[in-house]
Amino acid sequence: MKPATQVSFPGRDYDLAATLSSGQAFRWRQVGDAWEGIISGHHFRLRQTPAAITAELLGASSTASTPDPTHASRITHHAHHFLQLDTDLPAILATFPDDEPMRASIAACRGLRLLRQEPWECLVSFICSSTKQIVQIQQIIALLCERFGEPIPVAANVRRLHSSLRPETPDLRPNAKSEPPYVGCYPAFAFPTAARLAACSEAELRTCKMGFRAPYILAAAKAVASGELNLSRLHTLPTFEARAALMCLHGVGGKIADCVLLFAYGKQDAFPVDVWVRRALTELYFPRRRPSEKRLAHFANTHFGPNAGYAQQYLFHYVRVKKSV
DNA sequence: TTTGTGCCTTAGCT
DNA sequence: AAGCTAAGGCACA
């Protein structure tokens, strides 16, 4: 019998692995054939099978909004929303410009999706992302969560299910064989709240290896904790106003604001231009020219249609996988 | 209005 | 082996 902590969704046109590792979210770990991470204080294990995506709840933090960690509809809600399972991907792809670079990107990234993350976590993650490589960002975020995040206990039924089978020393290698039912890395930690980070000193934050970004994170935490910046309110604002509000924060320029708008607020007209996308745009659309910053930004905002942000993710992923081959 | 430079840290080079 | 450079930017001059 299936444990009550597991639900499954139809998984058509969805490449879970590509999506979770495409540089939009930084807290998902591959454990055997599954992916483990936190959504709203809930510790999930996600798996893709040919027919479906399954979500298994491993535990929930005491402050998470779920009184009963086995309550299936809650699980469904969190996973479903995070993964944006209602999105009609073919309909979005159909709005992309019909040119060679986009055709190549679509072909190379079939099933790539945009997630819907929590604004606070997303904002902090991308403030930390400046002049950092993905592995380093992952490292910083992991340290932040371990030091200042709420530990997430393993749900009782999961513990019962796995306790006798848990290896003494868990094999955490990325491709470790997952003899079912394999238990991943414990304990897990919720993302620290703004109030918790606001109570940190700059020096404490610097122990998470974020360097000059520490004062930015601290100031952002204080702004959010005090209510001076209301992240929920940004949902109701048009993209350019929400963008301006985010850019009031030190350490948040246009690129980081666009990432947060796209990955947390679903503002699909936001088009973050980082060095990879700049490279892609230059190589693919302006060969042998050196477009100015302004020209590039204008092109980015006019050429890609109503789902420009989605198109950006495809270009980004395309040049990354192309390079790694 | 544009352009250059310092900033923390570290992976991946030479 | 140690030193260098670039890495999914931003703020300030």
Side-chain angles (χ1 to χ4, degrees):
Chain A
M1 193 182 89
K2 223 193 253 185
T5 52
Q6 186 163 318
V7 292
S8 78
F9 311 98
R12 288 164 41 91
D13 296 314
Y14 211 120
D15 185 338
L16 185 66
T19 300
L20 292 176
S21 61
S22 65
Q24 22 177 346
F26 302 99
R27 289 242 284 154
W28 289 85
R29 285 183 358 106
Q30 189 163 21
V31 180
D33 65 341
W35 290 83
E36 296 188 4
I38 313 293
I39 306 170
S40 298
H42 298 73
H43 189 186
F44 274 101
R45 175 185 293 151
L46 306 177
R47 246 192 207 96
Q48 181 151 40
T49 68
I53 290 176
T54 65
E56 182 184 354
L57 186 66
L58 304 178
S61 77
S62 48
T63 52
S65 60
T66 304
D68 170 8
T70 63
H71 195 223
S73 72
R74 296 272 189 175
I75 307 170
T76 306
H77 169 78
H78 282 112
H80 196 277
H81 184 254
F82 176 75
L83 294 171
Q84 290 287 289
L85 289 159
D86 280 337
T87 299
D88 182 351
L89 187 61
I92 288 183
L93 299 184
T95 70
F96 289 0
D98 186 21
D99 58 31
E100 190 45 45
M102 283 316 307
R103 279 195 293 271
S105 300
I106 292 170
C109 311
R110 195 152 291 288
L112 180 66
R113 300 279 187 140
L114 288 179
L115 300 165
R116 183 68 57 87
Q117 302 178 56
E118 293 159 88
W120 171 242
E121 173 170 349
C122 190
L123 175 62
V124 172
S125 301
F126 281 96
I127 290 177
C128 290
S129 77
S130 74
T131 329
K132 284 285 186 196
Q133 298 173 23
I134 291 177
V135 270
Q136 297 177 290
I137 304 166
Q138 290 168 336
Q139 213 175 97
I140 294 170
I141 302 301
L143 284 169
L144 260 182
C145 294
E146 274 167 43
R147 304 236 160 114
F148 308 117
E150 204 59 40
I152 300 179
V154 181
N157 53 346
V158 175
R159 202 160 49 233
R160 267 202 311 281
L161 195 66
H162 294 303
S163 58
S164 59
L165 297 151
R166 183 175 181 181
E168 209 157 295
T169 311
D171 185 351
L172 298 177
R173 288 169 303 168
N175 295 317
K177 252 194 273 160
S178 94
E179 290 304 324
Y182 175 76
V183 174
C185 187
Y186 298 114
F189 295 88
F191 195 85
T193 62
R196 179 64 188 91
L197 293 188
C200 288
S201 66
E202 186 184 315
E204 281 181 293
L205 292 178
R206 278 179 189 262
T207 64
C208 300
K209 308 186 177 187
M210 62 179 70
F212 63 83
R213 303 156 195 84
Y216 300 158
I217 298 294
L218 190 52
K222 285 177 175 166
V224 171
S226 72
E228 179 194 333
L229 175 62
N230 182 347
L231 290 178
S232 312
R233 196 179 64 91
L234 300 191
H235 276 112
T236 66
L237 266 39
T239 304
F240 76 100
E241 281 181 37
R243 190 172 196 263
L246 289 169
M247 287 178 67
C248 288
L249 296 167
H250 264 44
V252 180
K255 189 269 175 182
I256 289 175
D258 284 340
C259 285
V260 177
L261 292 171
L262 185 61
F263 300 141
Y265 291 96
K267 309 270 189 199
Q268 301 203 355
D269 48 336
F271 194 105
V273 178
D274 58 39
V275 301
W276 287 96
V277 173
R278 185 190 329 283
R279 217 170 276 163
L281 291 178
T282 307
E283 276 174 27
L284 300 172
Y285 291 99
F286 299 88
R288 292 186 301 281
R289 273 178 286 171
R290 243 187 60 81
S292 74
E293 204 59 32
K294 223 175 148 185
R295 177 108 183 68
L296 218 49
H298 180 257
F299 179 76
N301 288 319
T302 53
H303 183 255
F304 293 96
N307 298 295
Y310 236 104
Q312 175 272 162
Q313 195 65 13
Y314 271 72
L315 282 174
F316 175 67
H317 198 69
Y318 173 54
V319 290
R320 281 189 69 215
V321 298
K322 198 166 64 143
K323 199 202 166 196
S324 67
V325 185

